[in-house]
Amino acid sequence: QMRLVESGGGLVQNGGSLRLSCTASKSIADVDAMGWYRQAPGKVREMVATVRNSGTANYANFVGGRFTISRDNAKKTVYLQMNSLKPEDTAVYYCNVPTYGDYVGLSWGQGTQVTVSS
């Protein structure tokens, strides 16, 4: 059974950067799409970005060109480089396998906390 472990979160000032990592317990080479999601306090979980093996990436509108999703199948890892962070980006960030609409293929893990101070 595949497990995904998120890391790289932390406390950063407004305008700062963080690089999140999602490491899989098994190969992701055969997993076409991987994604990052987030959930802020009192808010629903939302998609941040997805990336396919082809390299095609999609981003939520709020990203506004500030984030880059990438994957390294050899390392079984998906990354989310976040720049120009805003307080509104404060949330727990999760990775998962997108399937259809808002659905994902795996159980949600612990996620990694991102806190952006103003």
Side-chain angles (χ1 to χ4, degrees), residues 21-71:
S21 297
C22 169
T23 300
S25 62
K26 297 182 178 181
S27 174
I28 62 170
D30 297 323
V31 182
D32 182 53
M34 299 291 295
W36 281 98
Y37 305 78
R38 73 183 189 184
Q39 186 169 27
K43 306 292 184 180
V44 299
R45 187 179 275 111
E46 61 186 344
M47 187 273 289
V48 177
T50 61
V51 61
R52 292 183 172 273
N53 265 327
S54 65
T56 299
N58 287 303
Y59 299 92
N61 287 336
F62 62 75
V63 169
R66 300 175 298 130
F67 302 169
T68 302
I69 187 172
S70 62
R71 63 193 290 171

Side-chain angles (χ1 to χ4, degrees), residues 2-5 19 21-29 70-79:
M2 175 98 84
R3 292 183 296 104
L4 302 174
V5 179
R19 189 195 194 202
S21 297
C22 169
T23 300
S25 62
K26 297 182 178 181
S27 174
I28 62 170
S70 62
R71 63 193 290 171
D72 186 335
N73 287 352
K75 291 183 169 62
K76 299 186 292 185
T77 301
V78 183
Y79 304 97

Side-chain angles (χ1 to χ4, degrees), residues 4-25:
L4 302 174
V5 179
E6 302 92 344
S7 63
L11 175 63
V12 66
Q13 290 188 341
N14 187 22
S17 298
L18 284 172
R19 189 195 194 202
L20 307 185
S21 297
C22 169
T23 300
S25 62

